[in-house]
Amino acid sequence: KAGVTQTPRYLIKTRGQQVTLSCSPISGHRSVSWYQQTPGQGLQFLFEYFSETQRNKGNFPGRFSGRQFSNSRSEMNVSTLELGDSALYLCASSLEDWGGTNEKLFFGSGTQLSVL
Amino acid sequence: AQKITQTQPGMFVQEKEAVTLDCTYDTSDPSYGLFWYKQPSSGEMIFLIYQGSYDQQNATEGRYSLNFQKARKSANLVISASQLGDSAMYFCAMKDSSYKLIFGSGTRLLVRP
């Protein structure tokens, strides 16, 4: 069974640009969540989608947005990039449909975004 | 508010020895799950082990075991018989019913040959 696939693996952008990252979950998984990882702030929750609906959102500005398609694939978009947006963006998928505390999240390898 | 604390930024262990990585947590929710993930230099977060708040026994997965002390709110990871491939960042995380994981700051483990 294929794991969580994130594309692209690396991305270099300049300030002010926008970027779209893609995530394909494990087959059969309907929940997709996104995390930002930086050396200073660690791993922070961005948002979570289930059946094309955003169920929870972290404390990030409106420049960060996402969506989920009917096939559970997800994209996140960052508009008007800032230097501080440079980070590893990790996508995770899980089966869960009721917010169970025992649902394991399976992560992709991430997209390393560098903003110059 | 939920919080995960990992107080060991870095740890060394000799190959074939056991090592304990500390994790304490704080939550007011009676139902929660505790997870440990490994992150090698490639960046992928690899699930290691899970412990539910209502589980009576400590979780074990191969060489990994979780020392769960609910009253002390601690969930330490024990890796037995360390291998060179165990060198990585290790993250403790907690999940309640809000669909998100809250991570600790991580511990970098280096296994010496």
Side-chain angles (χ1 to χ4, degrees), chain B residues 5-8 19-25 34-36 49 51 58-60 64-70 72-79 92 107:
Chain B
T5 302
Q6 295 180 254
T7 58
Q8 307 154 311
V19 62
T20 297
L21 306 184
D22 294 342
C23 172
T24 58
Y25 61 92
L34 296 160
F35 301 78
W36 276 91
I49 195 166
Q51 180 84 43
N58 287 342
T60 60
Y64 304 107
S65 60
L66 200 152
N67 184 1
F68 182 46
Q69 299 186 46
K70 194 171 183 177
R72 299 178 65 180
K73 294 190 174 180
S74 75
N76 298 339
L77 176 70
V78 181
I79 305 175
C92 179
T107 296

Short mmCIF file of all heavy atoms in Angstrom, two decimals, chain B residues 5-8 19-25 34-36 49 51 58-60 64-70 72-79 92 107:
data_model
loop_
_atom_site.label_atom_id
_atom_site.label_comp_id
_atom_site.label_asym_id
_atom_site.label_seq_id
_atom_site.Cartn_x
_atom_site.Cartn_y
_atom_site.Cartn_z
N THR B 5 5.77 18.24 26.88
CA THR B 5 7.10 18.72 27.25
C THR B 5 8.13 17.61 27.13
O THR B 5 7.98 16.54 27.71
CB THR B 5 7.11 19.27 28.69
OG1 THR B 5 6.15 20.32 28.81
CG2 THR B 5 8.48 19.82 29.04
N GLN B 6 9.15 17.86 26.33
CA GLN B 6 10.30 16.96 26.24
C GLN B 6 11.50 17.77 26.70
O GLN B 6 11.90 18.73 26.05
CB GLN B 6 10.48 16.46 24.80
CG GLN B 6 9.33 15.60 24.32
CD GLN B 6 9.54 15.12 22.91
OE1 GLN B 6 8.89 15.60 21.98
NE2 GLN B 6 10.41 14.14 22.74
N THR B 7 12.09 17.38 27.80
CA THR B 7 13.13 18.18 28.44
C THR B 7 14.53 17.84 27.98
O THR B 7 15.49 18.51 28.37
CB THR B 7 13.06 18.02 29.96
OG1 THR B 7 13.21 16.64 30.28
CG2 THR B 7 11.73 18.54 30.49
N GLN B 8 14.68 16.83 27.18
CA GLN B 8 16.01 16.40 26.73
C GLN B 8 16.21 16.80 25.26
O GLN B 8 15.73 16.13 24.38
CB GLN B 8 16.17 14.88 26.85
CG GLN B 8 15.86 14.32 28.21
CD GLN B 8 15.41 12.86 28.12
OE1 GLN B 8 14.55 12.51 27.32
NE2 GLN B 8 16.01 12.01 28.95
N VAL B 19 17.73 2.99 26.18
CA VAL B 19 17.68 4.44 26.43
C VAL B 19 16.22 4.83 26.68
O VAL B 19 15.30 4.24 26.11
CB VAL B 19 18.25 5.23 25.23
CG1 VAL B 19 17.45 5.01 23.97
CG2 VAL B 19 18.36 6.71 25.56
N THR B 20 16.05 5.80 27.57
CA THR B 20 14.71 6.31 27.89
C THR B 20 14.61 7.77 27.48
O THR B 20 15.45 8.59 27.89
CB THR B 20 14.42 6.18 29.40
OG1 THR B 20 14.42 4.80 29.76
CG2 THR B 20 13.04 6.76 29.72
N LEU B 21 13.61 8.09 26.70
CA LEU B 21 13.34 9.46 26.29
C LEU B 21 12.12 9.96 27.06
O LEU B 21 11.07 9.31 27.06
CB LEU B 21 13.08 9.53 24.78
CG LEU B 21 14.16 8.91 23.89
CD1 LEU B 21 13.82 9.15 22.42
CD2 LEU B 21 15.53 9.45 24.22
N ASP B 22 12.28 11.11 27.71
CA ASP B 22 11.24 11.59 28.61
C ASP B 22 10.16 12.40 27.89
O ASP B 22 10.43 13.12 26.92
CB ASP B 22 11.86 12.48 29.70
CG ASP B 22 12.79 11.69 30.62
OD1 ASP B 22 12.69 10.44 30.64
OD2 ASP B 22 13.61 12.33 31.30
N CYS B 23 8.96 12.29 28.41
CA CYS B 23 7.83 13.07 27.88
C CYS B 23 6.82 13.27 29.00
O CYS B 23 6.40 12.30 29.65
CB CYS B 23 7.17 12.34 26.72
SG CYS B 23 5.63 13.10 26.13
N THR B 24 6.45 14.51 29.24
CA THR B 24 5.34 14.79 30.15
C THR B 24 4.29 15.56 29.38
O THR B 24 4.58 16.23 28.39
CB THR B 24 5.78 15.59 31.39
OG1 THR B 24 6.37 16.82 30.96
CG2 THR B 24 6.76 14.80 32.23
N TYR B 25 3.06 15.44 29.85
CA TYR B 25 1.97 16.07 29.12
C TYR B 25 1.00 16.74 30.09
O TYR B 25 1.01 16.46 31.29
CB TYR B 25 1.24 15.04 28.25
CG TYR B 25 0.62 13.91 29.03
CD1 TYR B 25 -0.71 13.99 29.46
CD2 TYR B 25 1.36 12.78 29.35
CE1 TYR B 25 -1.27 12.95 30.19
CE2 TYR B 25 0.80 11.74 30.08
CZ TYR B 25 -0.51 11.84 30.50
OH TYR B 25 -1.08 10.82 31.23
N LEU B 34 -1.56 9.14 23.37
CA LEU B 34 -0.16 9.57 23.37
C LEU B 34 0.60 8.79 22.32
O LEU B 34 0.44 7.57 22.21
CB LEU B 34 0.44 9.36 24.76
CG LEU B 34 -0.21 10.20 25.85
CD1 LEU B 34 0.07 9.62 27.22
CD2 LEU B 34 0.28 11.63 25.77
N PHE B 35 1.41 9.46 21.56
CA PHE B 35 2.13 8.85 20.46
C PHE B 35 3.61 9.23 20.53
O PHE B 35 3.96 10.30 21.02
CB PHE B 35 1.59 9.37 19.11
CG PHE B 35 0.13 9.10 18.87
CD1 PHE B 35 -0.84 9.89 19.48
CD2 PHE B 35 -0.27 8.09 18.03
CE1 PHE B 35 -2.19 9.65 19.25
CE2 PHE B 35 -1.61 7.85 17.79
CZ PHE B 35 -2.57 8.63 18.40
N TRP B 36 4.40 8.33 19.98
CA TRP B 36 5.80 8.66 19.73
C TRP B 36 6.07 8.48 18.24
O TRP B 36 5.65 7.47 17.63
CB TRP B 36 6.73 7.76 20.53
CG TRP B 36 6.95 8.22 21.94
CD1 TRP B 36 6.23 7.88 23.05
CD2 TRP B 36 7.95 9.13 22.39
NE1 TRP B 36 6.72 8.51 24.17
CE2 TRP B 36 7.78 9.28 23.79
CE3 TRP B 36 8.99 9.82 21.77
CZ2 TRP B 36 8.62 10.10 24.57
CZ3 TRP B 36 9.81 10.63 22.54
CH2 TRP B 36 9.63 10.77 23.92
N ILE B 49 4.74 4.15 18.40
CA ILE B 49 3.98 3.48 19.46
C ILE B 49 2.87 4.40 19.94
O ILE B 49 2.97 5.63 19.85
CB ILE B 49 4.93 3.08 20.62
CG1 ILE B 49 4.28 2.07 21.56
CG2 ILE B 49 5.44 4.31 21.36
CD1 ILE B 49 5.28 1.41 22.51
N GLN B 51 -0.28 4.96 23.12
CA GLN B 51 -0.84 4.62 24.44
C GLN B 51 -2.12 5.41 24.65
O GLN B 51 -2.10 6.64 24.52
CB GLN B 51 0.16 4.98 25.54
CG GLN B 51 -0.30 4.68 26.95
CD GLN B 51 -0.06 3.23 27.34
OE1 GLN B 51 0.99 2.66 27.08
NE2 GLN B 51 -1.03 2.63 28.02
N ASN B 58 1.09 -0.90 29.80
CA ASN B 58 2.00 -0.13 28.98
C ASN B 58 2.10 -0.73 27.59
O ASN B 58 2.15 -1.95 27.42
CB ASN B 58 3.39 -0.10 29.62
CG ASN B 58 3.44 0.78 30.85
OD1 ASN B 58 2.57 1.62 31.06
ND2 ASN B 58 4.44 0.58 31.69
N ALA B 59 2.13 0.13 26.58
CA ALA B 59 2.22 -0.33 25.20
C ALA B 59 3.64 -0.81 24.88
O ALA B 59 4.62 -0.27 25.41
CB ALA B 59 1.83 0.81 24.27
N THR B 60 3.71 -1.81 24.02
CA THR B 60 5.00 -2.28 23.52
C THR B 60 4.86 -2.55 22.03
O THR B 60 3.81 -3.01 21.55
CB THR B 60 5.46 -3.58 24.22
OG1 THR B 60 4.47 -4.59 24.00
CG2 THR B 60 5.63 -3.36 25.72
N TYR B 64 10.41 -1.07 21.15
CA TYR B 64 9.88 0.15 21.76
C TYR B 64 8.84 -0.20 22.83
O TYR B 64 7.98 -1.05 22.62
CB TYR B 64 9.21 1.04 20.71
CG TYR B 64 10.10 1.39 19.55
CD1 TYR B 64 9.89 0.82 18.30
CD2 TYR B 64 11.15 2.31 19.70
CE1 TYR B 64 10.70 1.15 17.22
CE2 TYR B 64 11.96 2.63 18.63
CZ TYR B 64 11.73 2.05 17.39
OH TYR B 64 12.53 2.37 16.34
N SER B 65 8.94 0.47 23.94
CA SER B 65 7.91 0.35 24.98
C SER B 65 7.65 1.73 25.55
O SER B 65 8.51 2.63 25.50
CB SER B 65 8.33 -0.62 26.08
OG SER B 65 9.51 -0.18 26.71
N LEU B 66 6.45 1.89 26.05
CA LEU B 66 6.06 3.19 26.58
C LEU B 66 5.80 3.02 28.06
O LEU B 66 4.94 2.22 28.46
CB LEU B 66 4.81 3.68 25.83
CG LEU B 66 4.51 5.18 25.88
CD1 LEU B 66 3.74 5.62 24.66
CD2 LEU B 66 3.75 5.53 27.14
N ASN B 67 6.51 3.77 28.86
CA ASN B 67 6.35 3.75 30.31
C ASN B 67 5.32 4.82 30.68
O ASN B 67 5.66 6.00 30.81
CB ASN B 67 7.69 4.02 30.99
CG ASN B 67 7.60 3.91 32.50
OD1 ASN B 67 6.53 3.62 33.06
ND2 ASN B 67 8.71 4.13 33.17
N PHE B 68 4.08 4.39 30.82
CA PHE B 68 2.95 5.31 31.02
C PHE B 68 2.64 5.41 32.50
O PHE B 68 2.27 4.43 33.14
CB PHE B 68 1.72 4.78 30.26
CG PHE B 68 0.50 5.65 30.35
CD1 PHE B 68 0.57 7.02 30.17
CD2 PHE B 68 -0.75 5.07 30.59
CE1 PHE B 68 -0.57 7.82 30.25
CE2 PHE B 68 -1.89 5.84 30.66
CZ PHE B 68 -1.81 7.22 30.49
N GLN B 69 2.81 6.61 33.06
CA GLN B 69 2.48 6.88 34.45
C GLN B 69 1.44 7.99 34.46
O GLN B 69 1.79 9.18 34.43
CB GLN B 69 3.73 7.24 35.24
CG GLN B 69 4.76 6.12 35.26
CD GLN B 69 5.93 6.44 36.17
OE1 GLN B 69 5.76 6.88 37.31
NE2 GLN B 69 7.13 6.22 35.68
N LYS B 70 0.19 7.58 34.51
CA LYS B 70 -0.91 8.52 34.33
C LYS B 70 -0.97 9.58 35.42
O LYS B 70 -1.22 10.75 35.15
CB LYS B 70 -2.23 7.75 34.27
CG LYS B 70 -3.42 8.54 33.77
CD LYS B 70 -4.60 7.63 33.53
CE LYS B 70 -5.77 8.39 32.96
NZ LYS B 70 -6.91 7.48 32.66
N ARG B 72 1.37 10.83 37.11
CA ARG B 72 2.46 11.79 36.95
C ARG B 72 2.41 12.47 35.59
O ARG B 72 3.24 13.31 35.28
CB ARG B 72 3.80 11.08 37.11
CG ARG B 72 3.99 10.44 38.47
CD ARG B 72 5.31 9.71 38.56
NE ARG B 72 6.46 10.61 38.45
CZ ARG B 72 7.72 10.22 38.50
NH1 ARG B 72 8.00 8.93 38.66
NH2 ARG B 72 8.70 11.08 38.39
N LYS B 73 1.46 12.06 34.75
CA LYS B 73 1.31 12.59 33.40
C LYS B 73 2.63 12.48 32.63
O LYS B 73 3.12 13.47 32.06
CB LYS B 73 0.81 14.04 33.43
CG LYS B 73 -0.62 14.15 33.97
CD LYS B 73 -1.20 15.54 33.77
CE LYS B 73 -2.67 15.56 34.19
NZ LYS B 73 -3.29 16.89 34.02
N SER B 74 3.16 11.28 32.65
CA SER B 74 4.38 11.06 31.88
C SER B 74 4.20 9.85 30.96
O SER B 74 3.46 8.91 31.27
CB SER B 74 5.59 10.87 32.79
OG SER B 74 5.57 9.60 33.40
N ALA B 75 4.89 9.90 29.84
CA ALA B 75 4.79 8.83 28.82
C ALA B 75 6.16 8.67 28.18
O ALA B 75 6.37 9.07 27.03
CB ALA B 75 3.73 9.20 27.79
N ASN B 76 7.05 8.09 28.92
CA ASN B 76 8.43 7.97 28.45
C ASN B 76 8.59 6.81 27.47
O ASN B 76 8.00 5.74 27.65
CB ASN B 76 9.38 7.77 29.63
CG ASN B 76 9.36 8.94 30.59
OD1 ASN B 76 8.97 10.05 30.22
ND2 ASN B 76 9.77 8.70 31.82
N LEU B 77 9.41 7.03 26.47
CA LEU B 77 9.70 5.99 25.46
C LEU B 77 10.99 5.28 25.85
O LEU B 77 11.99 5.93 26.12
CB LEU B 77 9.86 6.62 24.08
CG LEU B 77 10.26 5.66 22.96
CD1 LEU B 77 9.12 4.71 22.62
CD2 LEU B 77 10.70 6.43 21.71
N VAL B 78 10.93 3.97 25.86
CA VAL B 78 12.11 3.17 26.13
C VAL B 78 12.46 2.41 24.85
O VAL B 78 11.63 1.69 24.29
CB VAL B 78 11.88 2.17 27.29
CG1 VAL B 78 13.15 1.36 27.54
CG2 VAL B 78 11.47 2.92 28.56
N ILE B 79 13.70 2.59 24.41
CA ILE B 79 14.20 1.85 23.25
C ILE B 79 15.22 0.86 23.77
O ILE B 79 16.23 1.25 24.39
CB ILE B 79 14.86 2.77 22.21
CG1 ILE B 79 13.89 3.87 21.78
CG2 ILE B 79 15.30 1.97 20.99
CD1 ILE B 79 14.53 4.91 20.84
N CYS B 92 7.33 13.23 20.98
CA CYS B 92 6.17 12.78 21.74
C CYS B 92 5.00 13.66 21.32
O CYS B 92 5.18 14.87 21.10
CB CYS B 92 6.46 12.92 23.23
SG CYS B 92 5.11 12.42 24.33
N THR B 107 13.49 15.19 20.92
CA THR B 107 14.79 14.81 21.48
C THR B 107 15.62 14.21 20.36
O THR B 107 15.16 13.31 19.65
CB THR B 107 14.62 13.75 22.60
OG1 THR B 107 13.90 14.32 23.69
CG2 THR B 107 15.99 13.27 23.08
#
